[in-house]
Amino acid sequence: MANLLKNRETQLAAVIVLMLVLIAFVNPDFIAPSNLLSVYTESSILIILALAQMLVVLTRCIDLSVAANVALTGMVVAMINSQYPELTLPLVIAAGVVLGTLLGMINGLMVWKLGIPAIVVTLGTMSIYRGIVFLISNGEWVNSHEMSLAFINTPRTEIFGVQGFAIISLLIIAAIYIFTEKRPLGREMYAAGNSPTAAFYTGIDVGRTQFWAFTISGMLSGLCGYLWISRYAVAYVDVALGFELQVVAACVIGGVSIMGGIGTVLGCVLGALFLGVINNALPVIGISPFWQMAISGSVIVIAVIANSRAERKVGRIILRKATLARG
Amino acid sequence: MALKKLLATAIVTATMTTAGIANAADTRVGLVVKALGIGFFEAAAEGAQEAAKELGDVEVIYTGPTTTTAEGQIEVINSLIAQKVDAIAVSANDQDALVPILKKAQQRGIKVMSWDSGVAPDGRQVHLNPSSNALIGEMNIKLASDAVKATGSDSGEIAILSATPTATNQNIWIEEMKKVLPNYAGLTLVDTVYGDDLADKSYREAVALMKNHPNLKAIVAPTTVGILAAAQAVQDEGKIGQVYVTGLGLPSELAGHVDSGAIKSFAIWNPIDLGYSATMISYNLVKGNASDSEVGMGRMGTAKLDADGSAAMAEPFIYDASNVHKFAEIF
Amino acid sequence: MDGIMSQTTQAKATTGVSWTSRFKTWEAFLLLITAAVFVLNTLASPYFLDPWNLSDATFNFTEKAVVALPLALLIICREIDLSVASIIALCSVVMGLLAEAGFSIPLLVLGSLIAGTLCGLLNGVLVTRFDIPSIVVTIGTMSLFRGITYIILGDTALKSYPSGFEYFGQGYVYWVFSFEFVSFLVLAAVFYFLLHRTNFGRRTYAIGNNPTAAFYSGINVARHRLILFCLVGLFCGLASVMLTSRLGSTRPTIALGWELSIITMVVLGGVNILGGSGTISGVVIAVFLMGMVTFGLGLLNVPGIVMSIIIGLMLIAVIAMPILLRRFKQRRS
Amino acid sequence: MHQPTPLLELRGISKTFPGVKALDNVQLSLYPGRVTALIGENGAGKSTLVKTMTGIYQADAGDILFDGCRVHLSSPEDARALGVTAIHQETVLFDELSVTENIFAGHYLKKPKTGALDWKRMHERAREILLDIEAPIDPKTRLKQLSIGQRHMVAIARALSFDARVVILDEPTAALSHHEIEELYEIVERLKAQGCAIMFISHKFDEIFRIADYFTVFRDGQYIGQGGIEEVSEEELVRMMVGRTVDQVFPKSEVDVGAVVLSVKNLSHPTEFDNISFDLRRGEILGFYGLVGAGRTELMQALFGVSKQITGEVRLKGKLLKVSSPAEAISEGIVYVPEERQAQGTILELPIFQNIGLPQLSTINSSGILSTKAEYEVADRYATRLRVKAPTWHEKVENLSGGNQQKVVIAKWLATKPEVIILDEPTKGIDIGSKAAVHEFMSELVQEGLAVIMVSSELPEVMGMSDRIVVMHEGLSVAELNRADFSAEAIVSAATGGGH
């Protein structure tokens, strides 16, 4: 029990619950189950991208190009849909996912094969991918009436009152959980990030795990490209502008260590939900929109301080006395 | 040296895409917009080309920054000054920050005007409002009133969803709206929120408006991104028929939402006309065909300048289910 | 020789050897590209080779370049600051408020410099006291600082700057040489001296290459990094003076998104993002290179977003080139 | 003696690193069911050979034969596929992962149909293996919660989790207690019985004579000889190892021991060491002996101001010291040559003269402006005195051999004119020539009146060079012996917890 209380995920969940209680004082409707569900639905894309980012960060890299990837794949699927409305939706989505995967692979290859630091690679591809959105669209928008109804409405379909967006994110959470807990590649990402040297000694190719982390990140970004466009029913160059920082922030708040090797699916999801609740609650409880940015900034700072205290390296315990005292 | 090759290719491509430069026209007008890739401005550029064709000896350089920042516009204006264009017509991201650079342009003998979103009088000779600000303000409130009526009641709550808190024209219009609001007894303005012209933020703000004000009848969004996102939000929240979205938007972007019923009616001036007029005014400024009180706008007639050098182009036009599809083809 | 190369050293080995031997190659390489761009620009546009136009063009990058100088030192020291643009904004607000209260120009400048330094100090304290990676800290403070400007300004602007204040961003020292540009050149010289000719610079390299060994050699690593964070903040304050003076007004969106172009300048200048190597001359050349590419393309009215593709490609290509060349050489030998 | 056919055979293996020929045409044979001891000084190339055999390094030349067939080991996986497994000198494990995962990383057990990881089976198997080696560790614990000895047992468990045919033990007992060492011997016997070929690397001759069947000797990266362990004496082995007789190795000079310089009373740390007291006199070399992880390094780092949370009292020449950073320790006259030379001692990317100048930049360049000339002169004086071998002092430290790197570290500290110099494993991993030079230099230093503390895991070194020895075990000072009372048995028994 004491262990559970010390657990970072429990603490974060407690903070979120506390926050909801406080919000409920101002606006009781906010914690109505239907509204909480819609807050979750609204956070779906952030959750998926945060999980993708977590895999990359686990391997000691960072992917700043996710938002640009979302914009590019989103524009491409929107353009395909508006030009060929008769094309079946699964095919359109598949095109987005494949393109996103390829974009992720480009990042991954440069990190793996050329050994360029991930931050430099993705800083570059971030500009390039977003620039390509402009080139292919010629700066023009794809508007809702140019998209097919199936394209816009499929993720909105409700199953037992839950929207497709939420269901997809739940499936992705489950998939990433299985991947990180049950799949060798998932475990190797933890190992590679925790100690690249030890990983090498155990026969794990660190660069390869990084490549796959970027690939999965790209794949999920591609999926989110479609989700984003159908959610807001418009595609343009500045889609998801600056979203990469929110995604990284969600990971950081969720306890994913930027130094690699540490982070859980649950923590990451909670981190994204935390930001999701703040984003959705501030306008509702009537805090001036001008305060939003400062509040989320402070939250990030506080979260990293809290995490760093929790993570603080415990010295190698040599003394038996100390061992006993701790046990 | 792949890089050099790359650069060379890039520059060659760039030269080809802007091949117009080579045909040295007599008068060159730099049409600077808030940011590239916004439908409204693309349409305005079309109008500018129309004017150039009509005049014959005019070349229009359509340009703008990547994002709606003043610094980006300054950079763009800098390169226009370097190219020694004859006139600059700008829709400003910031009415004050552009003043120094535009002053410099004027010192170098370039005629400067602003259109759509204005620059402080120090920085330009003429400002062309798409319509008079008062008219736009009133139009928006009238639309809101219509929307409230469409829900079947005479009175009700309305809210404003704006773009960035710093957008010049938005703020002026909101002020004008507040001025005429007392004339509409049934309307109560309950909130003003900002979506920063980002689809996701505007969407969230619109959802929050509906949650916070269960009796809300209309959302007025005098910005093309905002109105789009709000309409989507109304639809997603299942509030069609209870809450109507209105404001300023482009027929091509909003046709779908008019069909869905989230938008009853909205207004916009014709951006093609606006671009056309701005180009005509610039041309007349260069040629010295302007007085302190008026300047010609070709087929759009003559603009009457007030003491500040501001003029209004025309009245905004209202679009609804009856005409939106016809105009959606155009802009 | 010991074990395999760690991730860091592996990447370090690929981006360069050391700053001394690099001087012969990296700077020369950059200079060559810069010269090529210069020639191409001259050929491509008749307006390029004009002293006033070139002088005007410097305004587009000088303020960023002023921040790039101390940031280069910080990155060499294995830290990073993503909050620089937000600090510039916050400093601008401080100046705007002081101006509103009727303070004189020297006090405005002083206010901005102090505000910047304090922001840097906050970053530095968070990084060194709590031992948190600076990239995470500054992602947070980036929102925090910018958020404060929104809280203070909301939808209003500050523009009651006293007359004479415009000199910092618009004035000329001599002929076409603006105050901004001359200041940058002087500061570049100062930073060259600081990094390459003083104890401080030597310690910066030592920490960047091996913080543990530097600490064991009696260098106060935490304090050194703290000073560098403050220095970056101070120069953000200075850049803010120039930018605010050039714009003549302050809004919360001022300098939005600058952090990435500033970091791009530094990395393009051959500073290893993982720390340990880099030179001021490289950064200065990269500043000119970027300035010239964007100005040249601007003269051809290439949209900014297309330029950003080119800058992005350049960034990756310039980093990848030495690695590919070395591979190629190894394969042949 | 009849020899079976070797299971693993290395022929003519060479491996060169920039500037160093680590292995030069060496050979080695390992036989099934037999233990072969690989003997050589630090720097003889043993670790490089281990890495070559486990696919971490690829040899520049030579053949590896497994069961008589030529094999190419291009990655650790290749080696593992053949059943070649090693327990490395330094445990390379994952702090944040569970014990089970440390054992199975890279060769996870999977469910046959889905290919999903079978944690249940892995935990069970891990528990079995750990029980087998009598290491009472819960397989679900995170590694960072374990002690050094326990980590070592995990590393051994990892090696045993493979279907091992060749097991390499690289100094496996350095961090183990008495009991654990006995346990290890049993494991080795069991592996022998299973027909594994075992390579055993150790410095301890009693161990070698106890469990090895054959021996192979390397010196300076070259093959010197091999044979059956019964056919050789300890003296012969030592001669093969060092190329000369033993008593020449330690140039311990007689120095008059002076007044107390450093006095430590009841120094304690919450987790690393407890209640340590000792005095250090002018002209004295005080040795600290103990197993890896006994708390010696932590104690020295505390004296140097690296560790915080220290209680107790440290006096330098009677003056109470409160150092909270290396900078303060250096200015008081205490300097520390760390064990991790490359990670802590030098900045490899910087030239020699800059490394030497680093701790006293502000003294050399009092104006804050670099004077390369002044710096170079200081470096020249001390590097010359320590006979650092390099073309110029502009050479980067990374291009030097281990021994010369160590000399640079010592030169760096001498230039600060210290009162007390602490040397932590000063001859670890350096060649025999440099080793002797460092020892000679230590003697010179004490003659000049310095006080020296030397931490060492090498019994001959600590016995050869020290005036007194403090033995540490699990963070406690368990014995203090004067030179007259030195005996290997007493020291080792105290260090492995035998005295309790």
Side-chain angles (χ1 to χ4, degrees), chain A residues 229-250:
Chain A
I229 299 307
S230 75
R231 178 111 196 101
Y232 302 110
V234 58
Y236 56 103
V237 177
D238 286 350
V239 157
L241 193 67
F243 203 65
E244 62 278 344
L245 292 180
Q246 278 220 41
V247 170
V248 175

Side-chain angles (χ1 to χ4, degrees), chain C residues 192-210:
Chain C
Y192 180 86
F193 187 77
L194 181 67
L195 181 60
H196 301 301
R197 293 277 180 275
T198 66
N199 291 348
F200 189 84
R202 173 67 52 75
R203 292 191 183 113
T204 305
Y205 280 116
I207 295 172
N209 276 309
N210 188 341

Side-chain angles (χ1 to χ4, degrees), chain D residues 128-434:
Chain D
E128 278 170 30
I129 300 171
L130 289 166
L131 254 156
D132 235 22
I133 57 174
E134 289 190 27
I137 304 168
D138 177 4
K140 289 184 182 168
T141 342
R142 277 188 183 224
L143 193 83
K144 64 176 172 188
Q145 293 165 325
L146 301 184
S147 72
I148 301 259
Q150 285 175 316
R151 281 167 199 240
H152 229 94
M153 297 312 273
V154 173
I156 292 169
R158 178 176 166 81
L160 296 179
S161 71
F162 302 104
D163 288 326
R165 298 194 60 196
V166 176
V167 178
I168 301 162
L169 299 160
D170 193 353
E171 297 197 43
T173 60
L176 299 187
S177 70
H178 223 65
H179 173 73
E180 289 165 325
I181 291 173
E182 288 301 325
E183 210 51 58
L184 182 79
Y185 291 160
E186 270 179 43
I187 296 167
V188 170
E189 288 302 328
R190 209 157 52 218
L191 288 173
K192 271 173 77 168
Q194 287 166 11
C196 285
I198 296 161
M199 182 165 112
F200 191 87
I201 299 177
S202 176
H203 281 117
K204 302 175 186 166
F205 285 108
D206 53 338
E207 272 180 19
I208 292 167
F209 282 98
R210 177 163 167 188
I211 65 168
D213 300 296
Y214 305 109
F215 71 88
T216 297
V217 181
F218 282 6
R219 186 168 71 225
D220 295 336
Q222 283 173 324
Y223 166 82
I224 301 297
Q226 63 177 26
I229 203 80
E230 296 93 10
E231 301 154 12
V232 72
S233 70
E234 189 171 326
E235 287 70 33
E236 280 175 79
L237 278 182
V238 172
R239 200 163 44 244
M240 290 169 84
M241 248 170 87
V242 301
R244 50 189 159 147
T245 48
V246 201
D247 37 316
Q248 284 176 317
V249 179
F250 299 107
K252 173 77 184 154
S253 57
E254 290 303 315
V255 177
D256 290 335
V257 173
V260 172
V261 181
L262 186 75
S263 168
V264 174
K265 290 235 161 26
N266 306 329
L267 204 64
S268 298
H269 182 283
T271 58
E272 309 295 331
F273 52 84
D274 198 35
N275 205 21
I276 306 284
S277 302
F278 64 86
D279 283 336
L280 176 70
R281 293 161 194 282
R282 267 174 74 95
E284 183 182 43
I285 299 178
L286 177 60
F288 273 78
Y289 183 80
L291 300 177
V292 174
R296 298 166 303 167
T297 296
E298 289 76 10
L299 173 63
M300 297 311 150
Q301 291 187 340
L303 292 175
F304 191 51
V306 175
S307 318
K308 308 258 149 57
Q309 315 165 277
I310 308 293
T311 55
E313 140 184 334
V314 179
R315 284 177 188 277
L316 187 72
K317 292 182 172 167
K319 180 182 141 207
L320 192 64
L321 282 192
K322 200 80 198 153
V323 290
S324 59
S325 72
E328 287 171 33
I330 294 163
S331 70
E332 296 289 352
I334 300 176
V335 298
Y336 173 66
V337 177
E339 179 183 1
E340 303 292 329
R341 188 169 51 244
Q342 300 197 339
Q344 303 171 335
T346 57
I347 291 161
L348 295 173
E349 295 84 352
L350 295 186
I352 297 168
F353 79 94
Q354 292 186 5
N355 265 284
I356 294 177
L358 205 54
Q360 34 174 354
L361 272 181
S362 358
T363 322
I364 301 174
N365 313 304
S366 50
S367 59
I369 295 162
L370 291 178
S371 157
T372 312
K373 190 163 160 278
E375 223 178 332
Y376 202 86
E377 275 168 10
V378 171
D380 186 44
R381 193 165 340 129
Y382 289 93
T384 311
R385 187 170 162 202
L386 271 152
R387 296 182 288 279
V388 176
K389 281 194 203 90
T392 81
W393 311 137
H394 284 289
E395 191 65 36
K396 273 187 258 166
V397 173
E398 64 188 350
N399 297 335
L400 303 183
S401 72
N404 280 306
Q405 288 178 355
Q406 186 71 319
K407 288 181 192 168
V408 171
V409 182
I410 298 175
K412 165 174 101 173
W413 288 129
L414 286 186
T416 69
K417 306 201 170 62
E419 303 270 353
V420 175
I421 183 163
I422 304 170
L423 300 145
D424 196 346
E425 304 282 6
T427 59
K428 186 178 159 190
I430 66 178
D431 61 281
I432 199 88
S434 306

